[in-house]
Amino acid sequence: MKFQKVFVGIVIGLIGLAFAGIPLLQLISSIGGSSTKPATAPVADKGGDSTLLSRQADGFALVLKREPNNFNALTGLADIRLKQGNIPAAIALYKQLRANTTDPQASISATLEIARLYQQTGQIPEALAEFDGLLKINPKFAPALLGKAVTLKMSGQTQAAQAQYLQALAAASAELKPQITEIFSKVQTPVTLPTNPPAKVDPTKK
């Protein structure tokens, strides 16, 4: 669980960064992931929180019936599904957003989030495929290189992970190289992962 929190913090820190030419500024604040809860944690039913989330989800789902590609509704509903612990639904929503957005940055952010969620649920080949998709466009995209290195290392593929880590290090700005090294060194290998991926569900339904 400790590693999972670290990795979640890493990728959340990377999401929102530009595709090229901008240093990985948010890596610094993301190290340790101390304030980040695993996406699998369900929301406690305290003070009507669960009911409120359900109502919000219904509202977003209603918007999506009228406007299937509404950006705010897709991202809002995906966030709720994560809070509810429904990772497959969140992945489906991020994929829908990516397939229909015309904003390259939104597409990149969605892909990084999809990769993170695949990694978190032990779907290593799927996570690697998402990172590889970004690297086909830009082989020196440091967030994807680091994410792939972390995923490989946690699955026990240490030699391949080391190669990806070195590439991420080379692609990063000088002031962030120590942070990348620290992040990579925190990853334990092998990490016990779920053996069965979650079942596919309709992301607009509870």
Side-chain angles (χ1 to χ4, degrees), residues 16-58:
L17 297 176
F19 187 61
I22 295 179
L24 311 181
L25 299 176
Q26 296 184 31
L27 269 174
I28 297 174
S29 62
S30 71
I31 292 175
S34 57
S35 63
T36 305
K37 293 186 291 184
T40 52
V43 175
D45 189 8
K46 294 181 180 180
D49 286 349
S50 181
T51 301
L52 177 60
L53 285 177
S54 295
R55 289 176 179 174
Q56 291 174 337
D58 290 343

Side-chain angles (χ1 to χ4, degrees), residues 8 12 15 30 43 49 62 66 84 87 92 94 97-98 105 118 121 128 146 150 156 162 167 169 180 194 205:
V8 170
I12 286 178
I15 289 175
S30 71
V43 175
D49 286 349
L62 185 62
R66 300 192 305 264
Q84 293 174 328
I87 293 180
Y94 280 118
L97 186 157
R98 180 177 63 182
Q105 183 56 50
Y118 275 141
T121 52
L128 293 175
L146 178 58
V150 168
Q162 182 68 17
Q167 290 184 47
L169 204 60
I180 287 180
K205 296 181 179 179

Side-chain angles (χ1 to χ4, degrees), residues 7 21 23 25 29 32 43-44 46 51 53 61 65 101 108 112 137 142 154-157 166 171 180 183 187:
F7 186 83
L25 299 176
S29 62
V43 175
K46 294 181 180 180
T51 301
L53 285 177
K65 285 183 179 180
T101 184
I108 293 163
L112 286 171
I137 300 171
M154 66 171 288
S155 65
Q157 302 177 61
L166 291 175
I180 287 180
I183 289 168
V187 182

Side-chain angles (χ1 to χ4, degrees), residues 52-192:
L52 177 60
L53 285 177
S54 295
R55 289 176 179 174
Q56 291 174 337
D58 290 343
F60 286 129
L62 185 62
V63 172
L64 290 173
K65 285 183 179 180
R66 300 192 305 264
E67 305 173 51
N69 301 321
N70 184 289
F71 180 88
N72 290 332
L74 286 169
T75 55
L77 186 55
D79 181 63
I80 290 173
R81 295 305 183 223
L82 288 178
K83 290 177 181 177
Q84 293 174 328
N86 192 341
I87 293 180
I91 290 175
L93 288 161
Y94 280 118
K95 285 186 174 182
Q96 183 176 343
L97 186 157
R98 180 177 63 182
N100 293 283
T101 184
T102 57
D103 181 357
Q105 183 56 50
S107 177
I108 293 163
S109 296
T111 300
L112 286 171
E113 182 68 4
I114 292 165
R116 175 182 78 85
L117 294 174
Y118 275 141
Q119 180 275 333
Q120 190 173 336
T121 52
Q123 299 178 74
I124 298 301
E126 290 82 358
L128 293 175
E130 296 296 333
F131 288 126
D132 283 338
L134 292 173
L135 293 173
K136 285 181 180 179
I137 300 171
N138 184 350
K140 294 184 179 180
F141 184 37
L145 288 168
L146 178 58
K148 185 175 181 180
V150 168
T151 306
L152 288 167
K153 187 176 181 182
M154 66 171 288
S155 65
Q157 302 177 61
T158 53
Q159 290 185 344
Q162 182 68 17
Q164 291 295 313
Y165 155 69
L166 291 175
Q167 290 184 47
L169 204 60
S173 58
E175 64 270 23
L176 290 176
K177 293 182 190 294
Q179 282 77 18
I180 287 180
T181 297
E182 182 178 353
I183 289 168
F184 186 73
S185 67
K186 286 182 178 180
V187 182
Q188 298 178 1
T189 181
V191 174
T192 301

